[in-house]
Amino acid sequence: MPKPASGRDFYIATADEIRAGRTTDIYFVRTLDVLKKAGRDRANVVAEVTTGGLPNGWPWGIFCGLEEVVHLLQGKAVSVWAIPEGSAFPAKTPRGIPVPVMVLEGPYGDWAMYETPVLGMICQASGIATKAARIRKAAGGKQVLSFGVRRMHPGIAPLIERSVYVGGLDAITTPLGAELLGAPAVGTMPHALVIVMGGPREAFAAVHKYLEAKIPRIALVDTYYDEKTEALMAVEAIPDLAGVRLDTPASRRGDFAAIVREVRWELDLRGHKDVKVFVSGRVDEQSIPALLEAGADGFGVGTSLSNAPTIDFAMDIVEVEGTPAAKRGKFGGRKDLQRCPKDGTYEIGAKTCPVCGSKMAPAYVRYLDRGRATTSLPTLAAIRERTLRETQRVPLES
Ligand SMILES: [Zn+2]
């Protein structure tokens, strides 16, 4: 097969290329060269990662992507402190100081090259995890599945799936994600099955007969006819039907919550109270409350998750050779970030919580000491648990 001029089939960087600094903005490479020649590349530098504000005025974000940063910087002469993955954080403390979610220290020449990939790792993962956590919170205890992988390049499918799972979603959808994350992969059925089988009755009969017995039967009920009509066809064709999914196209939607309410009614009327109603398509934290109220039991969320706004983190130098230094608009000097164990309030150098008066505790965990791992990384399940715990005590809107 002829190769494209780039010599590769897919435009994704390999792990080795990322480690070699090949995805770094070239100005860092040139800066490093200048610093070396000027004899300043060994200067001990402290840098902090902060954001000036969260997307859409969200009151908090979920910190995600740190595991990759630790893997990238391990073995380089750099120390890394950070709030643990899965922590909720505001852009600023009550005093108005940006919250540094991560601190790096070491000879600048040893890690200057990694500012670009380090930011990319946490900006995107935190954006997706935050959106997922918001949707999780809006959906309460109902099931939420991510259908967003198809909207992004497959090369980052595992990253998207890890981030939505950290954000508290119940399951992911790809075999690779399931293997890498040890999380369940789930799915319902696509419109393609109905169309290729020749209609909903034929498709539901085939699912009943041939779908592996251990997989819950969830019928997609909006391909050709009315959702109510197809839902009733599904309960007839599949005796152990677990649920129906409504993915009604926008052009036919009208009042989507009213359609959900009607389908729920008709199922109940015929004694199918145990058949759940799942909805997908343009679902996000704004549309979920009305759908819940109408009787939806679960949600499939796609583009709004994988295309979540990135968290605009920046990395800024705050200290050089032990002396505070910062550019205009940034707060210089290394910050002693403290956090209230009771309500999660962050403040710099505070002994007691400015909100509740409790004794504060250090907010950071040290992950690397001059490139050496100082703590084992938490499991994905533990990170997800932290997100779920922390998002319980914060409001969706400020
Ligand atoms: Zn407090």
Side-chain angles (χ1 to χ4, degrees):
M1 193 190 291
K3 285 276 179 194
S6 65
R8 62 177 73 189
D9 293 328
F10 305 119
Y11 289 94
I12 45 173
T14 65
D16 285 343
E17 286 166 338
I18 296 168
R19 284 183 198 289
R22 301 277 293 143
T23 65
T24 294
D25 291 311
I26 192 87
Y27 75 157
F28 285 116
V29 180
R30 292 173 184 158
T31 297
L32 201 57
D33 183 49
V34 171
L35 288 174
K36 262 187 194 152
K37 285 172 180 158
R40 290 288 287 161
D41 63 305
R42 307 311 300 163
N44 191 72
V45 163
V46 177
E48 287 176 352
V49 173
T50 58
T51 179
L54 293 162
N56 307 319
W58 292 340
W60 45 268
I62 294 296
F63 185 56
C64 185
L66 178 69
E67 184 181 308
E68 286 192 328
V69 172
V70 171
H71 289 156
L72 177 64
L73 297 178
Q74 204 158 5
K76 319 276 186 267
V78 57
S79 300
V80 174
W81 296 259
I83 60 172
E85 272 196 283
S87 298
F89 66 93
K92 289 175 180 160
T93 72
R95 271 168 70 206
I97 314 296
V99 172
V101 294
M102 184 160 72
V103 180
L104 286 80
E105 179 181 11
Y108 190 56
D110 284 350
W111 52 278
M113 292 262 281
Y114 297 107
E115 176 169 332
T116 310
V118 162
L119 288 176
M121 285 166 175
I122 59 170
C123 287
Q124 185 171 24
S126 299
I128 296 172
T130 302
K131 184 73 177 179
R134 291 177 57 79
I135 287 170
R136 164 83 281 156
K137 189 173 171 68
K142 303 292 186 183
Q143 198 175 29
V144 188
L145 310 177
S146 168
F147 294 161
V149 164
R150 67 186 56 188
R151 306 279 179 241
M152 293 288 145
H153 195 283
I156 60 164
L159 168 92
I160 294 169
E161 300 211 292
R162 179 178 190 273
S163 305
V164 299
Y165 198 67
V166 162
L169 264 61
D170 295 291
I172 45 131
T173 56
T174 69
L176 180 62
E179 183 193 317
L180 294 182
L181 305 175
V186 302
T188 61
M189 60 184 274
H191 290 110
L193 181 62
V194 179
I195 295 168
V196 174
M197 285 303 300
R201 279 186 204 285
E202 294 80 357
F204 299 155
V207 163
H208 173 51
K209 198 165 168 193
Y210 300 117
L211 186 67
E212 228 183 306
K214 65 176 187 191
I215 299 170
R217 271 89 174 121
I218 297 173
L220 181 58
V221 294
D222 59 41
T223 308
Y224 287 134
Y225 312 115
D226 181 74
E227 291 78 0
K228 176 163 70 179
T229 311
E230 291 200 21
L232 298 180
M233 286 178 188
V235 290
E236 266 175 38
I238 309 175
D240 55 347
L241 187 70
V244 294
R245 174 162 73 95
L246 280 61
D247 188 56
T248 307
S251 64
R252 308 296 158 81
R253 206 165 257 207
D255 184 343
F256 194 31
I259 300 174
V260 171
R261 189 175 284 112
E262 188 185 327
V263 169
R264 179 73 272 161
W265 175 270
E266 296 295 332
L267 289 171
D268 289 353
L269 189 66
R270 288 163 178 79
H272 300 292
K273 285 190 194 298
D274 53 336
V275 172
K276 294 194 179 328
V277 177
F278 295 93
V279 297
S280 58
R282 296 162 187 244
V283 171
D284 65 10
E285 69 268 45
Q286 268 82 41
S287 57
I288 283 174
L291 295 167
L292 274 179
E293 209 258 313
D297 296 294
F299 304 93
V301 188
T303 312
S304 72
L305 274 177
S306 54
N307 195 34
T310 183
I311 306 279
D312 197 0
F313 284 121
M315 189 188 294
D316 291 283
I317 294 175
V318 293
E319 203 179 277
V320 178
E321 298 286 18
T323 305
K327 71 173 194 179
R328 297 166 71 197
K330 298 287 174 177
F331 293 76
R334 186 181 201 134
K335 320 296 186 302
D336 168 29
L337 187 66
Q338 298 282 316
R339 196 170 188 207
C340 173
K342 208 165 147 196
D343 56 26
T345 302
Y346 293 87
E347 195 47 270
I348 311 293
K351 296 222 164 13
T352 56
C353 173
V355 174
C356 75
S358 299
K359 192 173 179 295
M360 299 286 264
Y364 293 133
V365 173
R366 185 167 70 173
Y367 289 94
L368 292 177
D369 178 15
R370 299 276 155 153
R372 206 167 35 81
T374 45
T375 177
S376 55
L377 291 164
T379 63
L380 190 64
I383 297 170
R384 184 171 177 276
E385 276 307 307
R386 179 184 290 275
T387 304
L388 292 171
R389 204 165 58 235
E390 297 223 355
T391 48
Q392 265 172 14
R393 64 184 179 191
V394 286
L396 261 183
E397 307 302 333
S398 45

